Amino acid sequence: ASASVSGTAFLSTPQSLFSSSQKSLIISSSSTHTLRTMNFDYARNTLGWGEGVDGRGLANETSRESAEWVGSVEGRKVYDEAVKGGDVSRIVTWAGSSVGEVKNGVGAEEVVRGMEKEAVETLRELGSLLT
C-alpha cells in the first residue's frame, strides 16, 4: 500500500475538535454504526462535491430521515438548532468503518506510535515469509 486513511483513529484524541459527546460516541460505536450518506451535506448545505463523493458518519436521526426533508428549509433549521445545542442524535459525527477499533481517548502522539509499531510488526512478519 502506498497510503492509508487513518482519520478515524484520531477522532477521540484530546486534539480532536469533536465535542466530548461525539468522542464518547466514537469510542462506543462499531463499524456497523457507520454509513455513507449525502444527508449530512444536505442538512449542512455543503453541496457541490463530485459525483459519488459523500461522507461516512455515525448513523443518527439525520441519516435516517429522507434526503428531501433534511435538505428542506425546515430540515436545515432543525439541524442548525441541533448544532447549537450539541445534539449528537442529529448532528454529523464523521467516522470511518474502522470506528470499532477506537476504544479510548489516547493522545494523537500515542495513536501515531501505535500505528508505527503495528506497521513495523507487519513488515517483519511479511519479511519472514520471504526467507
Side-chain angles (χ1 to χ4, degrees), residues 110-128:
E110 190 172 335
V111 171
V112 171
R113 286 187 178 159
M115 289 178 177
E116 177 186 31
K117 180 181 176 193
E118 187 176 330
V120 168
E121 289 171 358
T122 301
L123 290 170
R124 285 190 178 128
E125 289 174 17
L126 291 173
S128 69

Side-chain angles (χ1 to χ4, degrees), residues 6-55:
S6 306
T8 299
F10 295 94
L11 295 177
S12 68
T13 67
Q15 294 84 1
S16 168
L17 298 179
F18 272 0
S19 69
S20 59
S21 297
Q22 288 174 300
K23 290 175 185 183
S24 293
L25 276 178
I26 292 292
I27 291 168
S28 66
S29 294
S30 76
S31 61
T32 61
H33 296 136
T34 69
L35 73 149
R36 292 177 60 182
T37 180
M38 287 293 295
N39 276 19
F40 298 125
D41 293 298
Y42 295 138
R44 297 169 348 120
N45 198 28
T46 53
L47 304 170
W49 300 101
E51 182 70 28
V53 177
D54 55 17

